[in-house]
Amino acid sequence: MSEDTRPADRAAPDEHSALDRARASSLDRPDFPFQRVARRLGLPRGEAEVTLRDPERARAAIANAVEAFLAADDARRAGRAPTSAIALDPDFPTGVGMALVGAAVLWEVRELVPQVALRVAKDHHEDGTEDLAASFIALVQESITPGADRELDAMAWAAQSLLVDVLQRAGDAAGADVIARDLATHHIPLDLWRDDDPSLPDDSMAWHGGAFEGGIPPRRDEQALSYEDVHDYMNALVADMRRERDAEQDGPDA
């Protein structure tokens, strides 16, 4: 990620059009489970399709769901029993987090991406799925403009510190060492990613986009998580939710 990276909440024109097409394609599927998606976003059943087809209302719903997700995940990490509806979702936390990241990308609310994507990356790393962890790490970093905000800088550096562990476990000791030395140069703790709410030490330097020009290749195929990946994930999510719906025998509109 270079210094001229576009602001996190603004897509380039071609990307904007692609995201519009991806949204429309998902919503126009005859089997799109509006009610289940609405339940995940905390929407009333009768408002599901109307809300999801209205970008501004959908973004507001996604923002509310992200806030609820973060609160529920904080409670989980603190060892408290889940009480909110989102915490009781069978896919909570990782699957719910992935769905919210996908929604935030597709509905172009990228400012909501970093906190959720970082937590999803942690979950995947703890589960041993390093390629997925690296993809979500890349998505954290790509959603943050270097030096724009100290809190966002902290999340970007936390993602970079997590990448050290990911590369070590994946057997790339040389790549992990390069990033670790970059973290040390910028006075960033190697274990910053372990903090639920990471913050930077006073003598740290602003996020600059990573150790390598253009960022660290996040997967073995050297491609970041893109809107195509999110679209594919959303399609898979739709299929999974339809199977769950049929298994629960909720009826065609459930």
Side-chain angles (χ1 to χ4, degrees):
M1 187 165 58
S2 60
E3 290 295 330
D4 63 350
T5 300
R6 65 180 180 273
D9 59 351
R10 187 182 307 159
D14 57 340
E15 181 181 349
H16 181 88
S17 299
L19 289 168
D20 283 343
R21 291 194 297 272
R23 272 201 309 274
S25 177
S26 290
L27 293 174
D28 287 342
R29 291 173 61 97
D31 58 351
F32 188 88
F34 284 100
Q35 300 304 329
R36 294 186 72 92
V37 173
R39 188 164 69 222
R40 177 160 284 176
L41 294 180
L43 296 171
R45 288 175 61 88
E47 298 179 13
E49 182 167 358
V50 172
T51 297
L52 293 176
R53 290 190 182 280
D54 182 324
E56 292 306 314
R57 292 178 65 184
R59 288 168 190 145
I62 294 165
N64 290 336
V66 165
E67 183 178 359
F69 170 84
L70 294 174
D73 196 49
D74 285 343
R76 176 184 71 93
R77 292 172 187 272
R80 297 192 295 271
T83 57
S84 64
I86 201 166
L88 297 174
D89 190 299
D91 292 330
F92 180 84
T94 311
V96 172
M98 290 175 69
L100 291 177
V101 168
V105 172
L106 283 175
W107 271 271
E108 301 170 85
V109 277
R110 308 252 328 180
E111 67 273 15
L112 300 177
V113 168
Q115 277 185 290
V116 180
L118 180 57
R119 297 187 189 212
V120 170
K122 290 181 188 181
D123 289 344
H124 281 305
H125 175 57
E126 289 164 356
D127 289 341
T129 49
E130 306 305 337
D131 286 357
L132 280 172
S135 287
F136 280 90
I137 287 169
L139 198 56
V140 173
Q141 296 171 335
E142 290 167 3
S143 300
I144 295 173
T145 302
D149 179 274
R150 191 169 177 82
E151 183 177 347
L152 291 176
D153 282 349
M155 279 187 277
W157 280 121
Q160 193 80 328
S161 72
L162 175 58
L163 189 58
V164 173
D165 274 21
V166 168
L167 292 178
Q168 286 175 337
R169 187 180 289 177
D172 186 356
D177 183 63
V178 170
I179 301 171
R181 285 188 278 109
D182 188 48
L183 291 169
T185 298
H186 289 79
H187 310 288
I188 307 298
L190 279 173
D191 61 352
L192 183 63
W193 70 271
R194 298 184 185 277
D195 296 335
D196 290 339
D197 186 15
S199 59
L200 297 176
D202 291 339
D203 58 350
S204 67
M205 300 172 70
W207 170 246
H208 61 90
F212 300 132
E213 182 69 23
I216 306 299
R219 296 192 313 218
R220 292 190 181 96
D221 61 7
E222 298 190 353
Q223 293 186 15
L225 188 71
S226 66
Y227 72 85
E228 290 97 342
D229 297 296
V230 175
H231 192 201
D232 289 344
Y233 174 75
M234 291 289 283
N235 285 337
L237 185 67
V238 167
D240 288 344
M241 288 190 293
R242 187 183 185 193
R243 283 193 293 270
E244 291 172 10
R245 179 195 65 191
D246 293 343
E248 293 169 1
Q249 297 182 341
D250 287 338
D253 296 324

